[in-house]
Amino acid sequence: MDLSPQPPVLHWLHQAFATTRPIKRHQVPLPSKEKNMSSTTSSSNHAGTGTVGIIGAGAIGQAMATRLVAAGIDVILSNSRGPESLAPVVDALGPRSRAGTRQEAASADIVFVSVNWSRLEEALGDIDWNGRVLIDANNPVLLPGYRLAELGGRNSSQVLTKLAPGARVVKGFNTLLASVLASDPQQAGGRRVVFLSGDDREAKDLVASLADRLGFATIDLGSLEVGGALQQFPGGPLPALNLVKIG
């Protein structure tokens, strides 16, 4: 399937680059790169400043964890099989990562979710999402066959918001292949682009600043209704598009 955007979308992207808003870096509760924060397994570190929780330890979740620890940010990684199953993963990631339950990951400053679509409701259940910033990196793909899930006339992010009531949802990081997401975003004299959409301005600023901290450039696609549809795989024109912003 050809995932390349058609000419009208390319024109739209050109306009988006030209009108990108400045990032409000001061809003993000993340430690500076120079700050040497030791990793600990005490409860005080579970939801401490500068922690990102990841629900879903597949290829995308591990790729995001790789970029986070490389930027000096603590990570709580979780999956459906329990913390013990993630021991080899966190060992490879290093001391800034640890395994936890879904609830522990959801207690972090920002929560990143990427799971199989068929297990999304289970992954988000039994968690108080009220006020939490949730990065939606999911795609509504059913296997086998990479079929589009039934979404009832909505896009996948609109469905997710109903499954995580009260969450401040930002769609992002779902359009890059795992191997690309895991690699250094500073390429060819520029920065790899991630697309963001969301209905909560402050939450989107927080995620944009996190992306900046990781070395990415961002393009704001607007609301979940509009931007979420552009980012969605299958169906949208942006998945697998690997752009680098120069300058």
Side-chain angles (χ1 to χ4, degrees):
M1 177 172 58
D2 183 8
L3 297 176
S4 300
Q6 299 305 309
V9 176
L10 286 174
H11 175 73
W12 181 89
L13 288 172
H14 174 77
Q15 293 299 110
F17 272 121
T19 59
T20 301
R21 285 184 314 104
I23 295 171
K24 298 180 180 179
R25 293 178 179 83
H26 65 279
Q27 292 184 342
V28 181
L30 296 171
S32 65
K33 291 182 180 179
E34 294 78 15
K35 192 171 183 180
N36 182 21
M37 295 179 62
S38 61
S39 178
T40 175
T41 57
S42 69
S43 59
S44 63
N45 193 44
H46 291 179
T49 298
T51 302
V52 174
I54 297 179
I55 297 177
I60 295 296
Q62 291 186 41
M64 187 64 171
T66 298
R67 298 278 25 109
L68 289 164
V69 299
I73 298 169
D74 295 332
V75 174
I76 303 173
L77 200 61
S78 70
N79 66 6
S80 61
R81 295 182 298 278
E84 297 80 9
S85 67
L86 292 171
V89 177
V90 296
D91 284 347
L93 287 169
R96 285 203 175 274
S97 70
R98 74 173 186 85
T101 65
R102 291 183 302 111
Q103 287 76 12
E104 288 174 320
S107 72
D109 299 305
I110 295 176
V111 187
F112 180 94
V113 180
S114 178
V115 300
N116 291 334
W117 186 258
S118 62
R119 308 196 72 170
L120 182 63
E121 184 171 4
E122 176 187 352
L124 299 177
D126 302 319
I127 293 172
D128 179 8
W129 289 106
N130 191 41
R132 299 186 186 280
V133 177
L134 190 165
I135 300 175
D136 171 19
N138 301 280
N139 286 309
V141 175
L142 296 179
L143 299 174
Y146 287 90
R147 295 169 289 121
L148 175 64
E150 174 54 53
L151 302 175
R154 298 167 293 175
N155 67 50
S156 60
S157 291
Q158 291 174 309
V159 172
L160 180 142
T161 60
K162 300 298 184 183
L163 300 176
R168 303 158 68 195
V169 176
V170 179
K171 184 75 170 181
F173 298 95
N174 69 301
T175 61
L176 296 175
L177 300 175
S179 59
V180 176
L181 178 59
S183 64
D184 188 347
Q186 300 190 37
Q187 298 287 330
R191 297 186 296 160
R192 182 167 289 119
V193 170
V194 293
F195 302 103
L196 302 178
S197 58
D199 300 328
D200 185 303
R201 171 56 60 193
E202 183 182 10
K204 196 156 42 174
D205 284 341
L206 288 169
V207 176
S209 294
L210 172 64
D212 179 69
R213 169 72 187 280
L214 299 183
F216 292 96
T218 59
I219 293 180
D220 186 340
L221 300 177
S223 68
L224 286 177
E225 180 180 7
V226 175
L230 293 170
Q231 292 166 269
Q232 182 174 290
F233 174 78
L238 300 180
L241 188 63
N242 184 11
L243 299 181
V244 173
K245 183 176 181 180
I246 305 298

